[in-house]
Amino acid sequence: MEGEEEEPPQEAATGPVATSGAAESGAAESVPRVVSGEPQNISDVDAFNLLLEVKLKRRHERPDLPRTVTELVAEDGSRVYVVGTAHFSDDSKRDVVKTIRAVQPDVVVVELCQYRVSMLKMDERTLLREAKEVSLEKLHQAVRQNGVMSGLMQMLLLKVSAHITEQLGMAPGGEFREAFKEASKVPFCKFHLGDRPIPVTFKRAIAALSFWQKVKLAWGLCFLSDPISKDDVEKCKQKDLLEQMMAEMIGEFPDLHRTIVSERDIYLTYMLRQAARRLELPRASDAEPRKCVPSVVVGVVGMGHVPGIEKNWSTELNIQEIMTVPPPSVSGRLSRLAMKAAFFSLVGYSLYWLGRRTVGLVLALPVAQDCLQRVSTVLPKK
């Protein structure tokens, strides 16, 4: 992924991979020098090595990183720098920029999926407006994409995010946009989307709740209106504000916490480990032996996910298990039918009330009253 004008896919590369770790010095020594003077034609491999040398010179061997950064080392020597962020924090954006510039990564992984990738291209003003507008059109789109229950849950969570946005006047995802911009400035840096798709998360979350648990959770989300200040956000650097608010509401629902937080910890860990694979350097010819070096990765995730990533880093991960959506139970199907009936009943009653109200207002107009009087005089009396 390169630049902000292209549609970022699930996994996009900004260029060839770069090197890191102990092999950096060897790779740098093999870079051919171009003698100043007349322009010279160089091969693609030589051009790569020249840009690689520039990148290695920018990379700090012992970078001075923010306190929010956790360093993890893979078995092959690749290094992963996980930046724990608060999603509405200016300090987090600065932490992301400082980390990427210091370590010059080969891959940047962010806590986004393809369903939320549009926030990387939008400007702050557009995102601020979009976050505040929770319309019927968005509700219809969420229901059509994820089903009634998952769609309603998604809209309620958007309401939580919109509440924070309105309180702070700050659009969400600023740290991810900064990561996207900085990754495009690093030679041969790839940009990966590392979060589990939203539909899978919401469907698994809904399947884990009983009907009354769904009602209770929805009630709590609907009436969330506590005031929030920017100081509150910075105090929550040890645990992301949005995730902390969610944790307070879903604390009595262990299964919901498992699907929304713990399972995504596993998925993010898996994606970071996939990104932290050894990199193969280009060869001048097929006869030249292959050479692989450790990679450097920067992960940008909510602070609440950092402990889970550390915990899962050296364990076996069953990624398929958390990607499947269990079939709905009998009670689940009945609750969905009940929710659909309630939803369409509410829409029908709203239309009826609106139509009746409109007719009443029209008939109350002087012109309408005059017309009715004329019609009554013309009609024959019984």
Side-chain angles (χ1 to χ4, degrees):
M1 178 173 300
E2 183 77 21
E4 294 185 283
E5 298 300 324
E6 300 178 358
E7 181 70 13
Q10 175 72 18
E11 177 177 326
T14 57
V17 294
T19 63
S20 62
E24 290 179 2
S25 58
E29 291 174 359
S30 64
V31 175
R33 304 290 178 176
V34 179
V35 181
S36 59
E38 294 296 327
Q40 300 185 22
N41 294 325
I42 60 176
S43 66
D44 291 340
V45 175
D46 290 340
F48 172 87
N49 287 332
L50 286 172
L51 290 175
L52 175 61
E53 182 181 20
V54 173
K55 178 174 181 174
L56 296 182
K57 285 182 177 180
R58 292 178 181 175
R59 180 178 289 171
H60 298 170
E61 184 176 351
R62 295 181 179 178
D64 179 21
L65 299 176
R67 292 181 299 173
T68 54
V69 176
T70 300
E71 182 179 353
L72 302 171
V73 181
E75 293 180 355
D76 61 8
S78 298
R79 295 186 177 274
V80 178
Y81 298 93
V82 183
V83 188
T85 67
H87 293 318
F88 292 86
S89 168
D90 287 329
D91 282 352
S92 288
K93 291 190 285 187
R94 288 189 283 269
D95 290 350
V96 169
V97 171
K98 181 177 181 179
T99 302
I100 292 178
R101 289 180 179 177
V103 305
Q104 293 289 294
D106 307 307
V107 185
V108 172
V109 181
V110 296
E111 185 197 330
L112 286 177
C113 69
Q114 65 267 34
Y115 293 91
R116 293 184 292 160
V117 75
S118 59
M119 71 166 55
L120 294 177
K121 299 195 307 176
M122 294 184 184
D123 58 83
E124 192 81 8
R125 182 178 301 176
T126 303
L127 278 167
L128 199 59
R129 185 180 66 251
E130 287 286 327
K132 292 181 179 179
E133 295 176 355
V134 182
S135 61
L136 286 176
E137 181 180 353
K138 287 185 178 181
L139 174 60
H140 180 264
Q141 182 180 359
V143 170
R144 183 177 56 187
Q145 184 180 82
N146 303 319
V148 175
M149 292 300 301
S150 298
L152 290 174
M153 183 65 68
Q154 181 176 345
M155 290 306 298
L156 289 173
L157 291 176
L158 283 177
K159 180 181 178 297
V160 176
S161 179
H163 168 64
I164 301 176
T165 299
E166 186 176 2
Q167 292 282 317
L168 300 181
M170 182 187 301
E175 72 274 31
F176 303 137
R177 289 188 292 281
E178 291 297 328
F180 182 63
K181 293 176 186 177
E182 290 301 318
S184 67
K185 301 175 185 178
V186 179
F188 316 127
C189 183
K190 298 178 181 179
F191 191 89
H192 290 191
L193 305 176
D195 201 3
R196 184 173 64 178
I198 281 182
V200 176
T201 298
F202 279 117
K203 288 177 181 178
R204 286 183 62 85
I206 291 299
L209 296 178
S210 66
F211 174 75
W212 293 113
Q213 285 178 324
K214 295 170 187 175
V215 172
K216 190 173 183 179
L217 179 63
W219 182 268
L221 290 172
C222 284
F223 292 94
L224 177 69
S225 58
D226 293 336
I228 303 165
S229 67
K230 288 189 177 182
D231 290 338
D232 293 331
V233 178
E234 298 308 326
K235 290 177 183 177
C236 291
K237 289 293 288 293
Q238 297 305 313
K239 192 171 186 181
D240 178 65
L241 177 65
L242 182 58
E243 292 178 2
Q244 177 172 320
M245 295 175 67
M246 287 302 303
E248 292 175 355
M249 287 186 295
I250 67 178
E252 56 187 296
F253 308 132
D255 291 334
L256 190 60
H257 184 275
R258 172 177 53 81
T259 55
I260 292 182
V261 180
S262 301
E263 290 183 358
R264 289 173 59 223
D265 291 345
I266 295 174
Y267 192 90
L268 289 166
T269 305
Y270 174 81
M271 294 301 292
L272 288 170
R273 279 167 37 173
Q274 289 294 107
R277 291 180 172 181
R278 291 177 67 86
L279 306 174
E280 181 179 340
L281 298 178
R283 298 178 294 166
S285 66
D286 293 338
E288 186 177 337
R290 297 179 183 273
K291 184 177 181 181
C292 296
V293 296
S295 60
V296 172
V297 178
V298 169
V300 182
V301 303
M303 181 63 73
H305 291 290
V306 176
I309 292 173
E310 287 187 274
K311 176 183 175 182
N312 294 311
W313 184 250
S314 301
T315 62
E316 292 290 333
L317 302 177
N318 186 355
I319 199 67
Q320 295 300 325
E321 181 180 347
I322 64 172
M323 290 300 293
T324 58
V325 179
S329 61
V330 175
S331 61
R333 288 194 292 267
L334 291 176
S335 64
R336 283 198 300 173
L337 290 174
M339 289 297 294
K340 286 183 180 180
F343 174 74
F344 287 115
S345 298
L346 180 61
V347 172
Y349 177 77
S350 300
L351 293 175
Y352 166 76
W353 182 86
L354 182 62
R356 184 177 177 180
R357 180 71 173 170
T358 303
V359 171
L361 290 174
V362 171
L363 293 178
L365 294 174
V367 176
Q369 292 289 334
D370 184 59
C371 290
L372 289 175
Q373 289 180 359
R374 291 183 181 182
V375 171
S376 63
T377 56
V378 173
L379 292 176
K381 297 181 180 179
K382 293 184 179 180

